Amino acid sequence: MALSDETFRNNHHMILARMEKAALSAGRTVKDVTLVAVSKKQPVDALICAARNGIKIFGENYAEEVPPRQVELRDFAGIQWHMIGHIQSRKTKIVADSIDWVHSIDSLELAQRLNRSLQERGRVMPVLLEMNVSSEESKGGWAAWDESQFESLQPVVDSLLVCSNLQVRGLMTMPPLFTDPEAARPYFHRLAVLRDYLAVKYPTVDWRELSMGTSADFEVAIQEGATMVRIGQALFGPRPTR
């Protein structure tokens, strides 16, 4: 069944209300939190419905799926496309052509390849560094599940900052999936602590962004300092099975 405007508006308004309540509970303002609508694998009609009802930022996992979606949404002004999934090195040119933000820089090799692709196009792109704060092997990013590892990240950051066409703007993580959102809190807190550590070590870099929290746990993420929450199914409903 196609996503209706009424259903989407109801979902959107409910999420915004929950975001505002979570922000207020932490002494924050919801204006400091950006909603990234995770549209991966959703049909184009659902994206058009979302854009028609005010969504401006879409999060995608697969670079090659973005260009045709951009064509379908070309009549909507101000749309941004955020890459939130792992980027295969051979697809950095697609990313450099089509994406506005990358949340998932997870290796120096990827960063350098993307930087070269951006240089060829005369573009500078804001990026977030993906950190593995849980030690799960299935999670991407640099090892950061213990504060003793923080110092070892400095040579990596030094090398990343040489990539002049990448504008480092903060960090991203994906904690383990829990049925209880509270169980994710220590992982969100750890990312915020790492961000504060890096902000002291690299005071000239803008580390303000923390991309963390999904439909399952975004309220806890906001309470722990998230500035971007990546919400898919709570907005769009379940992804189609085919």
Side-chain angles (χ1 to χ4, degrees):
M1 177 183 288
L3 180 64
S4 71
D5 287 80
E6 181 181 8
T7 297
F8 185 85
R9 283 195 296 267
N10 288 340
N11 292 346
H12 190 200
H13 290 161
M14 185 177 299
I15 288 167
L16 292 177
R18 290 170 61 188
M19 289 173 61
E20 182 172 21
K21 183 178 179 181
L24 289 173
S25 72
R28 305 180 64 201
T29 171
V30 75
K31 292 179 181 179
D32 295 332
V33 187
T34 298
L35 170 60
V36 178
V38 178
S39 46
K40 66 175 183 180
K41 295 302 181 185
Q42 293 290 345
V44 170
D45 286 350
L47 276 68
I48 292 173
C49 176
R52 190 166 56 232
N53 287 284
I55 293 296
K56 296 293 187 184
I57 301 176
F58 291 93
E60 289 284 338
N61 277 52
Y62 307 103
E64 68 277 10
E65 294 184 2
V66 174
R69 290 174 175 239
Q70 289 177 316
V71 172
E72 295 288 347
L73 271 67
R74 62 187 178 276
D75 293 333
F76 296 95
I79 299 295
Q80 285 188 13
W81 298 90
H82 289 215
M83 189 69 188
I84 61 174
H86 172 70
I87 301 171
Q88 294 175 301
S89 294
R90 61 188 174 87
K91 295 181 180 176
T92 57
K93 291 184 179 181
I94 302 175
V95 173
D97 283 330
S98 306
I99 298 297
D100 298 292
W101 274 74
V102 170
H103 292 223
S104 49
I105 297 295
D106 59 5
S107 73
L108 185 56
E109 179 189 3
L110 170 63
Q112 291 169 337
R113 281 177 175 262
L114 179 58
N115 188 63
R116 286 195 294 272
S117 295
L118 290 165
Q119 285 176 334
E120 292 168 1
R121 289 153 178 79
R123 291 191 64 198
V124 174
M125 181 177 290
V127 301
L128 307 178
L129 311 183
E130 184 173 358
M131 297 293 164
N132 183 339
V133 296
S134 67
S135 79
E136 287 184 294
E137 292 185 4
S138 62
K139 296 291 189 294
W142 283 279
W145 53 84
D146 190 284
E147 289 191 31
S148 65
Q149 297 164 317
F150 290 1
E151 186 175 354
S152 65
L153 292 170
Q154 290 185 52
V156 172
V157 175
D158 290 338
S159 297
L160 287 166
L161 294 178
V162 174
C163 297
S164 58
N165 290 66
L166 302 183
Q167 185 181 61
V168 175
R169 295 287 296 276
L171 307 176
M172 183 271 261
T173 200
M174 176 67 78
L177 182 62
F178 298 107
T179 54
D180 178 9
E182 277 297 325
R185 189 180 295 277
Y187 302 96
F188 296 141
H189 179 73
R190 190 168 299 144
L191 192 71
V193 170
L194 174 56
R195 187 272 310 277
D196 293 345
Y197 172 88
L198 292 172
V200 171
K201 295 294 182 180
Y202 300 91
T204 61
V205 178
D206 183 357
W207 295 99
R208 79 180 67 181
E209 304 292 353
L210 290 178
S211 172
M212 57 189 194
T214 65
S215 295
D217 50 26
F218 68 88
E219 288 150 309
V220 174
I222 290 171
Q223 290 171 344
E224 292 298 328
T227 63
M228 293 181 173
V229 290
R230 310 180 301 268
I231 301 179
Q233 294 192 47
L235 264 180
F236 294 103
R239 295 187 193 97
T241 56
R242 42 176 252 173

